[in-house]
Amino acid sequence: MKRFFCLLLALLLLSACGKEQRLAPLYPQEASFSEGYINMKLYLPEDWQWSVIEPDPDDRTAAYGLQFGPADRPDAYELVHEPQTPMFCGTGVHVQKVTLPNGEEIAVATEFRMESGFVWISLNNRYCGNYIFYSSLGALDWREHEQTLYQIIRDARIGEGYISGFEATERAIRAMGKKLGEEKPRIAFWQEPDRWAVPCAGADGTQYTVYVSPEGKVLGITEE
């Protein structure tokens, strides 16, 4: 059974919407990628390696971003933007909340079978774009670097210069004004290639979508 990433967000990530104070990165090596509205910067251990996963001009649905890992497994991990809504098979997947070194909570989905498995961490709604962290290592390999990876995620600089989905939601609420019903929108969805879409329930029961640019400008309101 396929489960879209938005289900995880709606159930597990809504509490982490405040702005945090930036702390100095723990690791010294900088890895970066930028393409249009998508940008990311990671700070890795000095002896790790990294490379860029470039956008595929022949496949607009292909993920792109950064691949990284220790010297013996430089392809162990990825932080990528998914142009299409990311999904995974929900059967047998364990989802838990993990507290990062700065106190922020993230949802971590894992499934391990013998020496294989996967780790899936959605960073969506925090930054413009569909940002997903992936690992396809087995349980022992994952646990060896687990705390290092949480530190890397804590220190990551993602979507800098643009508003988050939480901020887009706030702008949508203001744009709706008196048309908005009692239940305020709580989540925004990134819509390729250049906007946030915020579903809103009107006071009269009409369903609306408010579109907001990465710079924070309300682009329009449509009835569904």
Short mmCIF file of all heavy atoms in Angstrom, two decimals, residues 120-175:
data_model
loop_
_atom_site.label_atom_id
_atom_site.label_comp_id
_atom_site.label_asym_id
_atom_site.label_seq_id
_atom_site.Cartn_x
_atom_site.Cartn_y
_atom_site.Cartn_z
N TRP A 120 14.06 6.84 5.77
CA TRP A 120 13.36 7.87 4.99
C TRP A 120 12.97 8.98 5.95
O TRP A 120 12.20 8.75 6.89
CB TRP A 120 12.14 7.23 4.36
CG TRP A 120 11.35 7.98 3.33
CD1 TRP A 120 11.50 7.88 1.98
CD2 TRP A 120 10.24 8.86 3.54
NE1 TRP A 120 10.55 8.66 1.35
CE2 TRP A 120 9.78 9.27 2.29
CE3 TRP A 120 9.61 9.35 4.69
CZ2 TRP A 120 8.71 10.14 2.13
CZ3 TRP A 120 8.55 10.22 4.55
CH2 TRP A 120 8.11 10.61 3.27
N ILE A 121 13.53 10.17 5.76
CA ILE A 121 13.23 11.30 6.63
C ILE A 121 12.73 12.45 5.76
O ILE A 121 13.46 12.95 4.90
CB ILE A 121 14.47 11.75 7.42
CG1 ILE A 121 15.00 10.59 8.29
CG2 ILE A 121 14.13 12.95 8.30
CD1 ILE A 121 16.31 10.91 8.99
N SER A 122 11.50 12.85 5.99
CA SER A 122 10.94 13.97 5.24
C SER A 122 11.24 15.28 5.95
O SER A 122 10.99 15.41 7.15
CB SER A 122 9.43 13.80 5.09
OG SER A 122 8.85 14.98 4.57
N LEU A 123 11.78 16.24 5.21
CA LEU A 123 12.01 17.58 5.75
C LEU A 123 11.08 18.58 5.09
O LEU A 123 11.35 19.78 5.07
CB LEU A 123 13.48 17.98 5.52
CG LEU A 123 14.51 17.05 6.16
CD1 LEU A 123 15.92 17.50 5.80
CD2 LEU A 123 14.34 16.98 7.66
N ASN A 124 9.97 18.09 4.56
CA ASN A 124 9.05 18.96 3.84
C ASN A 124 8.28 19.88 4.78
O ASN A 124 8.14 19.63 5.97
CB ASN A 124 8.07 18.11 3.03
CG ASN A 124 8.76 17.42 1.88
OD1 ASN A 124 9.39 18.05 1.06
ND2 ASN A 124 8.67 16.10 1.85
N ASN A 125 7.76 20.94 4.19
CA ASN A 125 7.02 22.01 4.84
C ASN A 125 7.95 22.96 5.60
O ASN A 125 7.58 24.06 5.92
CB ASN A 125 5.92 21.50 5.78
CG ASN A 125 4.72 22.43 5.82
OD1 ASN A 125 4.22 22.84 4.79
ND2 ASN A 125 4.27 22.77 7.00
N ARG A 126 9.16 22.53 5.88
CA ARG A 126 10.12 23.40 6.53
C ARG A 126 10.83 24.30 5.52
O ARG A 126 11.26 25.39 5.85
CB ARG A 126 11.17 22.56 7.27
CG ARG A 126 10.57 21.64 8.33
CD ARG A 126 11.56 20.53 8.66
NE ARG A 126 10.92 19.53 9.51
CZ ARG A 126 11.10 19.45 10.82
NH1 ARG A 126 11.88 20.29 11.43
NH2 ARG A 126 10.48 18.51 11.52
N TYR A 127 10.97 23.80 4.30
CA TYR A 127 11.73 24.51 3.26
C TYR A 127 10.98 24.38 1.94
O TYR A 127 10.29 23.39 1.71
CB TYR A 127 13.13 23.92 3.11
CG TYR A 127 13.79 23.56 4.41
CD1 TYR A 127 13.84 22.24 4.83
CD2 TYR A 127 14.34 24.54 5.23
CE1 TYR A 127 14.43 21.90 6.04
CE2 TYR A 127 14.93 24.21 6.43
CZ TYR A 127 14.98 22.88 6.83
OH TYR A 127 15.56 22.55 8.02
N CYS A 128 11.14 25.35 1.05
CA CYS A 128 10.46 25.26 -0.24
C CYS A 128 11.09 24.13 -1.06
O CYS A 128 12.29 24.08 -1.27
CB CYS A 128 10.50 26.60 -1.00
SG CYS A 128 12.11 27.15 -1.55
N GLY A 129 10.26 23.19 -1.47
CA GLY A 129 10.73 22.01 -2.16
C GLY A 129 10.32 20.77 -1.40
O GLY A 129 9.82 20.83 -0.27
N ASN A 130 10.50 19.61 -2.01
CA ASN A 130 10.23 18.32 -1.37
C ASN A 130 11.57 17.69 -0.99
O ASN A 130 12.17 16.96 -1.78
CB ASN A 130 9.46 17.40 -2.32
CG ASN A 130 8.07 17.89 -2.61
OD1 ASN A 130 7.41 18.47 -1.76
ND2 ASN A 130 7.61 17.68 -3.84
N TYR A 131 12.05 17.97 0.21
CA TYR A 131 13.36 17.48 0.64
C TYR A 131 13.22 16.18 1.42
O TYR A 131 12.50 16.10 2.40
CB TYR A 131 14.05 18.53 1.52
CG TYR A 131 14.50 19.75 0.77
CD1 TYR A 131 13.68 20.87 0.70
CD2 TYR A 131 15.74 19.80 0.15
CE1 TYR A 131 14.08 22.01 0.01
CE2 TYR A 131 16.15 20.93 -0.53
CZ TYR A 131 15.32 22.03 -0.60
OH TYR A 131 15.72 23.16 -1.28
N ILE A 132 13.96 15.17 0.95
CA ILE A 132 13.92 13.85 1.56
C ILE A 132 15.35 13.37 1.82
O ILE A 132 16.23 13.49 0.96
CB ILE A 132 13.21 12.83 0.66
CG1 ILE A 132 11.81 13.31 0.27
CG2 ILE A 132 13.13 11.47 1.36
CD1 ILE A 132 10.84 13.41 1.40
N PHE A 133 15.57 12.84 3.00
CA PHE A 133 16.83 12.18 3.32
C PHE A 133 16.64 10.68 3.15
O PHE A 133 15.67 10.12 3.67
CB PHE A 133 17.27 12.49 4.75
CG PHE A 133 18.41 11.64 5.22
CD1 PHE A 133 19.71 12.03 4.99
CD2 PHE A 133 18.18 10.43 5.86
CE1 PHE A 133 20.77 11.24 5.41
CE2 PHE A 133 19.22 9.63 6.28
CZ PHE A 133 20.52 10.04 6.06
N TYR A 134 17.56 10.03 2.45
CA TYR A 134 17.47 8.60 2.20
C TYR A 134 18.73 7.87 2.68
O TYR A 134 19.84 8.39 2.60
CB TYR A 134 17.36 8.31 0.69
CG TYR A 134 16.07 8.68 0.03
CD1 TYR A 134 16.03 9.68 -0.92
CD2 TYR A 134 14.89 8.00 0.32
CE1 TYR A 134 14.86 10.02 -1.55
CE2 TYR A 134 13.71 8.33 -0.32
CZ TYR A 134 13.70 9.34 -1.25
OH TYR A 134 12.52 9.67 -1.89
N SER A 135 18.53 6.64 3.13
CA SER A 135 19.61 5.69 3.30
C SER A 135 19.09 4.31 2.93
O SER A 135 17.96 3.97 3.27
CB SER A 135 20.11 5.67 4.75
OG SER A 135 20.96 4.55 4.97
N SER A 136 19.89 3.53 2.22
CA SER A 136 19.48 2.17 1.86
C SER A 136 20.36 1.14 2.55
O SER A 136 20.47 0.00 2.10
CB SER A 136 19.56 1.98 0.34
OG SER A 136 20.87 2.24 -0.13
N LEU A 137 20.99 1.52 3.67
CA LEU A 137 21.87 0.61 4.39
C LEU A 137 21.07 -0.30 5.32
O LEU A 137 19.93 -0.01 5.67
CB LEU A 137 22.89 1.41 5.21
CG LEU A 137 23.81 2.35 4.44
CD1 LEU A 137 24.77 3.02 5.39
CD2 LEU A 137 24.57 1.61 3.35
N GLY A 138 21.71 -1.37 5.76
CA GLY A 138 21.12 -2.25 6.75
C GLY A 138 21.15 -1.62 8.13
O GLY A 138 21.74 -0.56 8.35
N ALA A 139 20.52 -2.30 9.09
CA ALA A 139 20.36 -1.74 10.43
C ALA A 139 21.69 -1.47 11.12
O ALA A 139 21.87 -0.41 11.74
CB ALA A 139 19.51 -2.68 11.28
N LEU A 140 22.64 -2.39 11.03
CA LEU A 140 23.92 -2.20 11.72
C LEU A 140 24.69 -1.02 11.15
O LEU A 140 25.26 -0.21 11.88
CB LEU A 140 24.76 -3.48 11.63
CG LEU A 140 24.23 -4.69 12.41
CD1 LEU A 140 25.14 -5.89 12.21
CD2 LEU A 140 24.11 -4.35 13.89
N ASP A 141 24.72 -0.92 9.81
CA ASP A 141 25.43 0.21 9.18
C ASP A 141 24.75 1.53 9.52
O ASP A 141 25.41 2.54 9.76
CB ASP A 141 25.47 0.02 7.66
CG ASP A 141 26.39 -1.11 7.26
OD1 ASP A 141 27.44 -1.26 7.89
OD2 ASP A 141 26.04 -1.85 6.33
N TRP A 142 23.41 1.55 9.52
CA TRP A 142 22.68 2.77 9.85
C TRP A 142 23.00 3.21 11.28
O TRP A 142 23.30 4.37 11.54
CB TRP A 142 21.19 2.58 9.66
CG TRP A 142 20.38 3.65 10.33
CD1 TRP A 142 19.61 3.53 11.44
CD2 TRP A 142 20.29 5.03 9.93
NE1 TRP A 142 19.04 4.73 11.77
CE2 TRP A 142 19.44 5.67 10.86
CE3 TRP A 142 20.83 5.77 8.89
CZ2 TRP A 142 19.12 7.02 10.79
CZ3 TRP A 142 20.52 7.12 8.80
CH2 TRP A 142 19.68 7.73 9.74
N ARG A 143 22.95 2.28 12.21
CA ARG A 143 23.16 2.65 13.61
C ARG A 143 24.58 3.12 13.87
O ARG A 143 24.82 3.89 14.80
CB ARG A 143 22.79 1.47 14.51
CG ARG A 143 21.29 1.16 14.46
CD ARG A 143 20.85 0.22 15.56
NE ARG A 143 19.41 0.02 15.47
CZ ARG A 143 18.83 -1.05 14.95
NH1 ARG A 143 19.59 -2.03 14.48
NH2 ARG A 143 17.52 -1.16 14.90
N GLU A 144 25.53 2.67 13.05
CA GLU A 144 26.92 3.11 13.22
C GLU A 144 27.03 4.62 13.02
O GLU A 144 27.81 5.30 13.70
CB GLU A 144 27.83 2.38 12.25
CG GLU A 144 29.29 2.80 12.36
CD GLU A 144 30.17 2.10 11.35
OE1 GLU A 144 29.67 1.21 10.62
OE2 GLU A 144 31.37 2.43 11.28
N HIS A 145 26.26 5.16 12.08
CA HIS A 145 26.37 6.58 11.74
C HIS A 145 25.13 7.38 12.13
O HIS A 145 25.04 8.56 11.81
CB HIS A 145 26.60 6.75 10.24
CG HIS A 145 27.84 6.10 9.73
ND1 HIS A 145 27.84 5.21 8.69
CD2 HIS A 145 29.14 6.20 10.14
CE1 HIS A 145 29.08 4.79 8.46
NE2 HIS A 145 29.88 5.37 9.33
N GLU A 146 24.18 6.76 12.82
CA GLU A 146 22.89 7.40 13.07
C GLU A 146 23.03 8.76 13.74
O GLU A 146 22.46 9.75 13.28
CB GLU A 146 22.02 6.48 13.93
CG GLU A 146 20.62 7.01 14.17
CD GLU A 146 19.77 6.03 14.95
OE1 GLU A 146 20.31 4.99 15.40
OE2 GLU A 146 18.56 6.30 15.11
N GLN A 147 23.78 8.85 14.81
CA GLN A 147 23.91 10.12 15.53
C GLN A 147 24.66 11.16 14.71
O GLN A 147 24.36 12.36 14.77
CB GLN A 147 24.60 9.89 16.88
CG GLN A 147 23.79 9.01 17.83
CD GLN A 147 22.36 9.50 18.02
OE1 GLN A 147 22.13 10.69 18.24
NE2 GLN A 147 21.40 8.58 17.95
N THR A 148 25.63 10.70 13.92
CA THR A 148 26.33 11.62 13.01
C THR A 148 25.36 12.22 12.00
O THR A 148 25.38 13.42 11.73
CB THR A 148 27.46 10.88 12.27
OG1 THR A 148 28.40 10.38 13.21
CG2 THR A 148 28.17 11.82 11.29
N LEU A 149 24.45 11.38 11.48
CA LEU A 149 23.48 11.87 10.49
C LEU A 149 22.50 12.85 11.11
O LEU A 149 22.14 13.86 10.48
CB LEU A 149 22.73 10.69 9.87
CG LEU A 149 23.33 10.09 8.61
CD1 LEU A 149 23.35 11.11 7.48
CD2 LEU A 149 24.71 9.53 8.83
N TYR A 150 22.06 12.61 12.32
CA TYR A 150 21.16 13.55 12.98
C TYR A 150 21.86 14.90 13.21
O TYR A 150 21.24 15.96 13.11
CB TYR A 150 20.67 12.98 14.30
CG TYR A 150 19.75 11.80 14.15
CD1 TYR A 150 19.69 10.80 15.12
CD2 TYR A 150 18.95 11.65 13.02
CE1 TYR A 150 18.85 9.70 14.97
CE2 TYR A 150 18.10 10.55 12.87
CZ TYR A 150 18.07 9.59 13.84
OH TYR A 150 17.24 8.51 13.70
N GLN A 151 23.15 14.85 13.51
CA GLN A 151 23.90 16.09 13.66
C GLN A 151 24.00 16.82 12.33
O GLN A 151 23.86 18.05 12.26
CB GLN A 151 25.30 15.80 14.20
CG GLN A 151 26.15 17.04 14.47
CD GLN A 151 25.62 17.84 15.64
OE1 GLN A 151 25.31 17.28 16.70
NE2 GLN A 151 25.52 19.16 15.48
N ILE A 152 24.24 16.09 11.24
CA ILE A 152 24.31 16.69 9.91
C ILE A 152 22.98 17.33 9.54
O ILE A 152 22.94 18.45 9.01
CB ILE A 152 24.72 15.62 8.87
CG1 ILE A 152 26.18 15.20 9.09
CG2 ILE A 152 24.51 16.13 7.45
CD1 ILE A 152 26.61 14.01 8.27
N ILE A 153 21.87 16.66 9.84
CA ILE A 153 20.55 17.23 9.55
C ILE A 153 20.31 18.47 10.39
O ILE A 153 19.76 19.46 9.91
CB ILE A 153 19.47 16.17 9.80
CG1 ILE A 153 19.59 15.04 8.77
CG2 ILE A 153 18.07 16.79 9.73
CD1 ILE A 153 18.67 13.86 9.04
N ARG A 154 20.72 18.44 11.64
CA ARG A 154 20.55 19.62 12.50
C ARG A 154 21.26 20.83 11.93
O ARG A 154 20.75 21.95 11.94
CB ARG A 154 21.08 19.33 13.91
CG ARG A 154 20.76 20.44 14.92
CD ARG A 154 21.91 20.74 15.86
NE ARG A 154 22.94 21.55 15.23
CZ ARG A 154 23.87 22.23 15.89
NH1 ARG A 154 23.91 22.18 17.20
NH2 ARG A 154 24.77 22.94 15.24
N ASP A 155 22.47 20.62 11.41
CA ASP A 155 23.30 21.73 10.93
C ASP A 155 23.00 22.12 9.48
O ASP A 155 23.57 23.10 8.99
CB ASP A 155 24.78 21.36 11.05
CG ASP A 155 25.23 21.26 12.49
OD1 ASP A 155 24.59 21.88 13.37
OD2 ASP A 155 26.23 20.56 12.76
N ALA A 156 22.15 21.37 8.79
CA ALA A 156 21.90 21.62 7.37
C ALA A 156 21.32 23.02 7.15
O ALA A 156 20.52 23.52 7.95
CB ALA A 156 20.95 20.57 6.82
N ARG A 157 21.72 23.64 6.06
CA ARG A 157 21.15 24.90 5.61
C ARG A 157 20.39 24.60 4.33
O ARG A 157 20.98 24.29 3.30
CB ARG A 157 22.25 25.94 5.34
CG ARG A 157 23.21 26.17 6.51
CD ARG A 157 22.53 26.83 7.70
NE ARG A 157 23.48 27.30 8.68
CZ ARG A 157 23.74 26.69 9.83
NH1 ARG A 157 23.12 25.56 10.12
NH2 ARG A 157 24.61 27.19 10.69
N ILE A 158 19.07 24.65 4.41
CA ILE A 158 18.23 24.23 3.30
C ILE A 158 17.23 25.32 2.97
O ILE A 158 16.65 25.94 3.86
CB ILE A 158 17.47 22.93 3.67
CG1 ILE A 158 18.46 21.82 4.04
CG2 ILE A 158 16.59 22.46 2.52
CD1 ILE A 158 17.81 20.56 4.56
N GLY A 159 17.02 25.56 1.67
CA GLY A 159 16.01 26.52 1.24
C GLY A 159 16.27 27.93 1.73
O GLY A 159 15.32 28.69 1.93
N GLU A 160 17.52 28.29 1.88
CA GLU A 160 17.82 29.62 2.42
C GLU A 160 17.40 30.71 1.44
O GLU A 160 17.60 30.60 0.24
CB GLU A 160 19.31 29.73 2.75
CG GLU A 160 19.71 28.88 3.94
CD GLU A 160 21.07 29.23 4.50
OE1 GLU A 160 22.00 29.45 3.69
OE2 GLU A 160 21.22 29.29 5.74
N GLY A 161 16.80 31.75 1.98
CA GLY A 161 16.36 32.86 1.16
C GLY A 161 14.89 32.81 0.81
O GLY A 161 14.37 33.76 0.20
N TYR A 162 14.21 31.72 1.17
CA TYR A 162 12.81 31.54 0.80
C TYR A 162 11.99 31.12 2.02
O TYR A 162 12.53 30.58 2.98
CB TYR A 162 12.67 30.51 -0.31
CG TYR A 162 13.52 30.84 -1.51
CD1 TYR A 162 14.62 30.06 -1.84
CD2 TYR A 162 13.24 31.95 -2.30
CE1 TYR A 162 15.42 30.37 -2.94
CE2 TYR A 162 14.03 32.28 -3.39
CZ TYR A 162 15.12 31.48 -3.70
OH TYR A 162 15.90 31.80 -4.76
N ILE A 163 10.68 31.35 1.95
CA ILE A 163 9.83 31.07 3.10
C ILE A 163 9.57 29.57 3.23
O ILE A 163 9.62 28.82 2.25
CB ILE A 163 8.50 31.85 3.03
CG1 ILE A 163 7.64 31.34 1.87
CG2 ILE A 163 8.75 33.34 2.94
CD1 ILE A 163 6.21 31.87 1.91
N SER A 164 9.26 29.16 4.43
CA SER A 164 8.90 27.76 4.69
C SER A 164 7.42 27.55 4.42
O SER A 164 6.65 28.50 4.22
CB SER A 164 9.19 27.42 6.16
OG SER A 164 8.29 28.12 7.01
N GLY A 165 7.00 26.29 4.46
CA GLY A 165 5.58 25.99 4.31
C GLY A 165 4.76 26.55 5.46
O GLY A 165 3.60 26.94 5.27
N PHE A 166 5.33 26.60 6.65
CA PHE A 166 4.63 27.18 7.79
C PHE A 166 4.37 28.67 7.56
O PHE A 166 3.29 29.18 7.86
CB PHE A 166 5.44 26.97 9.06
CG PHE A 166 5.72 25.52 9.36
CD1 PHE A 166 7.00 25.02 9.25
CD2 PHE A 166 4.70 24.65 9.73
CE1 PHE A 166 7.28 23.69 9.51
CE2 PHE A 166 4.96 23.31 9.99
CZ PHE A 166 6.25 22.83 9.88
N GLU A 167 5.36 29.36 7.02
CA GLU A 167 5.19 30.79 6.72
C GLU A 167 4.19 30.99 5.59
O GLU A 167 3.40 31.95 5.61
CB GLU A 167 6.54 31.41 6.38
CG GLU A 167 7.50 31.46 7.56
CD GLU A 167 8.92 31.82 7.16
OE1 GLU A 167 9.46 31.20 6.21
OE2 GLU A 167 9.49 32.72 7.80
N ALA A 168 4.21 30.10 4.60
CA ALA A 168 3.22 30.18 3.52
C ALA A 168 1.81 30.01 4.07
O ALA A 168 0.87 30.69 3.62
CB ALA A 168 3.52 29.11 2.46
N THR A 169 1.66 29.13 5.04
CA THR A 169 0.35 28.92 5.66
C THR A 169 -0.12 30.19 6.37
O THR A 169 -1.30 30.57 6.28
CB THR A 169 0.42 27.75 6.66
OG1 THR A 169 0.80 26.57 5.95
CG2 THR A 169 -0.93 27.51 7.32
N GLU A 170 0.77 30.86 7.06
CA GLU A 170 0.41 32.11 7.74
C GLU A 170 -0.05 33.17 6.74
O GLU A 170 -1.03 33.90 6.99
CB GLU A 170 1.60 32.61 8.54
CG GLU A 170 1.96 31.72 9.72
CD GLU A 170 3.27 32.13 10.38
OE1 GLU A 170 3.91 33.08 9.87
OE2 GLU A 170 3.64 31.52 11.40
N ARG A 171 0.62 33.25 5.61
CA ARG A 171 0.23 34.22 4.58
C ARG A 171 -1.12 33.85 3.96
O ARG A 171 -1.92 34.72 3.62
CB ARG A 171 1.32 34.32 3.52
CG ARG A 171 2.53 35.13 3.99
CD ARG A 171 3.75 34.88 3.10
NE ARG A 171 4.83 35.80 3.39
CZ ARG A 171 5.65 35.69 4.45
NH1 ARG A 171 5.47 34.71 5.32
NH2 ARG A 171 6.62 36.57 4.65
N ALA A 172 -1.36 32.55 3.82
CA ALA A 172 -2.65 32.10 3.28
C ALA A 172 -3.79 32.47 4.22
O ALA A 172 -4.87 32.89 3.77
CB ALA A 172 -2.61 30.60 3.04
N ILE A 173 -3.57 32.32 5.50
CA ILE A 173 -4.60 32.69 6.49
C ILE A 173 -4.95 34.16 6.40
O ILE A 173 -6.12 34.55 6.39
CB ILE A 173 -4.13 32.31 7.91
CG1 ILE A 173 -4.07 30.79 8.06
CG2 ILE A 173 -5.04 32.93 8.97
CD1 ILE A 173 -3.42 30.32 9.35
N ARG A 174 -3.92 35.00 6.28
CA ARG A 174 -4.16 36.44 6.17
C ARG A 174 -4.87 36.76 4.85
O ARG A 174 -5.75 37.62 4.80
CB ARG A 174 -2.84 37.21 6.28
CG ARG A 174 -2.21 37.14 7.66
CD ARG A 174 -1.19 38.24 7.86
NE ARG A 174 -0.06 38.09 6.95
CZ ARG A 174 1.06 37.41 7.26
NH1 ARG A 174 1.17 36.81 8.45
NH2 ARG A 174 2.06 37.34 6.41
N ALA A 175 -4.49 36.07 3.77
CA ALA A 175 -5.10 36.34 2.47
C ALA A 175 -6.57 35.93 2.44
O ALA A 175 -7.39 36.60 1.80
CB ALA A 175 -4.33 35.62 1.37
#
